[in-house]
Amino acid sequence: MEQQNDCSIQRGQPLRRYPNDYKAEGHSSSMNKTINQPQYSNTGRPTVRVAVYLMTGVFLTMEVEQNATAQQIFTIVQSEAELSLTRFSMVTATPVFAIWMCSSQLEVQLRPTHKPVELAAKWNYLVNKYSSHTEDSDDEEPLLYFRRNIFLSKTEEEQIKDTKILELLYAEAKHNVLQGRYACDGPARYASLGALQARIELGPYNAQIHTLAFFRRHRGRFLPYHHAFPSLLLGLGLGLGLVGGKGAPEAHLLEQYKRIPSHSGSANANPKKLIRKYLEFCWNLPCYGAAFFQGQIERPVRGLASWIINRDMQILIAINTSGVYIVDDVQCSLLLGLKYSELSWEMAKPSDESNPDCLPCLFLQFPVRENGTRVYKILQVFSRQAPMMDTLISGFAEDYRCQFVNNDTNNDQLDHPLVSATVSFTNKLSKFTLATFDDEGRCIGQMGSWSFR
């Protein structure tokens, strides 16, 4: 309608594909580079050219008015004929995708009423406010993405049948697996996902082409970096990984790839079925569909190490409709998974807001059993993004409570939090510096800086 006429794609600008290093080269798709060079529409209002990236490796360029909203830009992408995505509104009650604004230090899903061009103009301010990046952030240039909506539940996504939508969801899931964000619980899982990806993208196994040497050259394409390229010491110590032996990641990948049926008539070999199978695997991963935030936690120190200044551990905090998860950002492993049924939390502002090294924090409380007794652990997460996490957790936790209030058969779960770890994963509590409290709220155990409170 009228909004679409005011905010339309510049004709003659088809979908274009970007290489992996396109965004790193500082191309003119950066929104900051267009803000100071406005053009004018036939209505006399200033316009700018922006690009919206899809996770499939293509982007749309469009000319929009400076006050265009995220919803208007979303509508343009949805209606682009080459994408064939016009049926989005009929898929689920919750929009499947949303417009995101991202740079290396900050990722934000935009509300429909947000104005991306205005946000881009103050992006450096937002990065300085919500990022722990210590260097000058004036070169942080945001890009617009068309990505999965954080508020879409797994249950809603499982109902989706549309091929085009599933292809976009597959591309985003694959990206997050390869980036180590969707942590798996062992090499076999990564090999299975890599094999499915290879079958989707390479076609049936061909013994003449798909050799061990082939996958050794391309293992970074099908396996997360932390798994595809283990450390040199690990490789030398075990004789694995770097030398391409039987225990190497690419060898497991090849074996799994061979097992996927090659006959095109097989239901399991149909590309559409394979994409859904890949997604079904990812739906079972705890961090699937999460928004990721940067933070840090205090490392536990014992013995002589307690006398040495110890740096905090950099982590990712993944928050989705199911719970809150702590991910080791270096090892790309899941350290802790907490469902909303077992989580209490509180955000605290820094005690000295004038001190840039004094960060806001998020306290996460959860029950565990120790020697047959239920106790409560508290983990302190430091992050400038704590206010954003607090807002997101509050919304999801309230949705969870409403679901159980409306379902009398499950009301008892609200009063009796589960103490189980996330399915297929074991919470690694030894990695944390924690405080321990009993049922009466008395502190019965302290570690690290908690001992000085």
Side-chain angles (χ1 to χ4, degrees):
M1 316 198 295
E2 182 176 349
Q3 285 185 336
Q4 293 181 15
N5 292 332
D6 288 344
C7 184
S8 59
I9 291 182
Q10 176 82 15
R11 294 305 165 192
Q13 297 292 328
L15 293 177
R16 287 183 285 175
R17 182 165 294 276
Y18 58 87
N20 291 334
D21 57 350
Y22 183 91
K23 299 187 289 294
E25 293 174 356
H27 287 257
S28 59
S29 59
S30 167
M31 294 195 67
N32 280 343
K33 293 187 178 182
T34 65
I35 291 171
N36 296 323
Q37 301 173 351
Q39 304 297 317
Y40 293 89
S41 67
N42 53 13
T43 64
R45 292 192 286 264
T47 63
V48 295
R49 181 177 298 281
V50 299
V52 180
Y53 289 89
L54 280 69
M55 302 307 290
T56 50
V58 300
F59 67 95
L60 292 127
T61 57
M62 60 188 76
E63 196 163 296
V64 300
E65 292 187 0
Q66 283 191 331
N67 65 350
T69 64
Q71 180 60 50
Q72 289 174 313
I73 293 175
F74 177 91
T75 301
I76 291 175
V77 178
Q78 177 181 327
S79 61
E80 172 55 36
E82 289 186 62
L83 293 176
S84 303
L85 300 177
T86 55
R87 289 172 289 176
F88 273 152
S89 59
M90 298 183 292
V91 177
T92 62
T94 306
V96 180
F97 296 97
I99 299 296
W100 288 68
M101 184 172 284
C102 308
S103 67
S104 63
Q105 295 297 317
L106 186 62
E107 301 178 10
V108 179
Q109 177 175 313
L110 304 187
R111 295 194 185 101
T113 55
H114 275 145
K115 297 179 179 180
V117 176
E118 292 182 3
L119 282 177
K122 57 181 181 181
W123 190 253
N124 289 329
Y125 164 78
L126 295 173
V127 169
N128 286 325
K129 181 177 180 179
Y130 291 112
S131 168
S132 298
H133 194 47
T134 55
E135 299 176 4
D136 186 4
S137 61
D138 289 343
D139 59 349
E140 279 283 299
E141 296 177 346
L143 297 174
L144 287 180
Y145 285 90
F146 190 78
R147 293 184 359 186
R148 186 186 186 279
N149 182 1
I150 177 63
F151 299 105
L152 180 72
S153 69
K154 294 181 186 178
T155 302
E156 289 178 300
E157 184 170 335
E158 289 168 357
Q159 300 170 5
I160 297 173
K161 307 297 182 185
D162 187 275
T163 301
K164 292 292 184 180
I165 298 176
L166 292 174
E167 287 176 355
L168 283 176
L169 291 170
Y170 158 75
E172 185 168 345
K174 177 186 71 174
H175 170 81
N176 284 319
V177 168
L178 295 177
Q179 291 296 311
R181 289 188 162 188
Y182 288 174
C184 292
D185 60 347
R189 300 296 183 111
Y190 287 120
S192 296
L193 285 170
L196 281 171
Q197 180 193 338
R199 180 64 177 81
I200 292 167
E201 299 178 8
L202 303 177
Y205 168 70
N206 184 327
Q208 303 301 315
I209 300 174
H210 306 130
T211 62
L212 184 59
F214 172 87
F215 281 106
R216 189 176 305 132
R217 289 195 304 272
H218 298 284
R219 59 183 174 179
R221 175 181 172 185
F222 301 105
L223 296 169
Y225 185 87
H226 73 281
H227 181 61
F229 301 96
S231 69
L232 180 61
L233 290 177
L234 179 62
L236 292 176
L238 299 179
L240 306 174
L242 300 181
V243 296
K246 290 184 178 181
E250 62 269 21
H252 292 300
L253 171 62
L254 176 58
E255 288 304 312
Q256 293 284 350
Y257 180 44
K258 288 179 180 179
R259 296 176 187 174
I260 300 176
S262 299
H263 192 272
S264 59
S266 170
N268 291 330
N270 184 303
K272 296 178 182 179
K273 296 285 187 182
L274 292 170
I275 285 176
R276 187 168 187 87
K277 189 174 183 63
Y278 189 100
L279 284 170
E280 287 173 350
F281 191 110
C282 291
W283 291 337
N284 290 319
L285 297 177
C287 296
Y288 182 79
F292 290 86
F293 302 87
Q294 300 174 358
Q296 58 199 63
I297 57 174
E298 185 180 354
R299 295 177 188 268
V301 290
R302 299 174 178 85
L304 292 176
S306 62
W307 295 93
I308 304 173
I309 296 177
N310 192 60
R311 287 187 176 182
D312 287 348
M313 176 191 299
Q314 299 299 316
I315 58 168
L316 290 177
I317 304 94
I319 302 172
N320 60 21
T321 57
S322 300
V324 179
Y325 307 92
I326 306 297
V327 179
D328 184 333
D329 197 19
V330 176
Q331 299 297 326
C332 300
S333 63
L334 183 67
L335 300 178
L336 180 65
L338 300 172
K339 302 292 183 126
Y340 293 116
S341 61
E342 56 187 356
L343 170 66
S344 298
W345 80 100
E346 185 174 341
M347 194 204 77
K349 294 182 179 180
S351 56
D352 182 3
E353 297 192 31
S354 63
N355 183 354
D357 295 325
C358 193
L359 302 178
C361 64
L362 199 65
F363 292 97
L364 302 177
Q365 177 180 294
F366 52 96
V368 300
R369 288 203 174 275
E370 287 186 348
N371 301 320
T373 302
R374 184 171 71 171
V375 297
Y376 294 89
K377 300 288 186 178
I378 295 183
L379 172 67
Q380 187 173 16
V381 177
F382 300 92
S383 174
R384 295 192 192 281
Q385 298 174 4
M388 302 166 66
M389 291 188 276
D390 178 49
T391 299
L392 194 56
I393 294 172
S394 297
F396 285 145
E398 182 60 29
D399 289 343
Y400 167 81
R401 291 191 189 96
C402 289
Q403 290 173 15
F404 280 92
V405 166
N406 294 330
N407 186 346
D408 293 337
T409 60
N410 290 320
N411 279 345
D412 60 330
Q413 294 192 32
L414 290 174
D415 299 321
H416 302 282
L418 301 177
V419 192
S420 59
T422 303
V423 176
S424 299
F425 288 81
T426 301
N427 289 331
K428 303 176 177 63
L429 298 186
S430 62
K431 300 285 187 179
F432 301 107
T433 296
L434 302 166
T436 306
F437 293 81
D438 63 16
D439 271 332
E440 301 298 324
R442 294 185 294 263
C443 184
I444 58 175
Q446 300 166 315
M447 298 173 62
S449 60
W450 284 101
S451 302
F452 299 95
R453 299 179 188 222

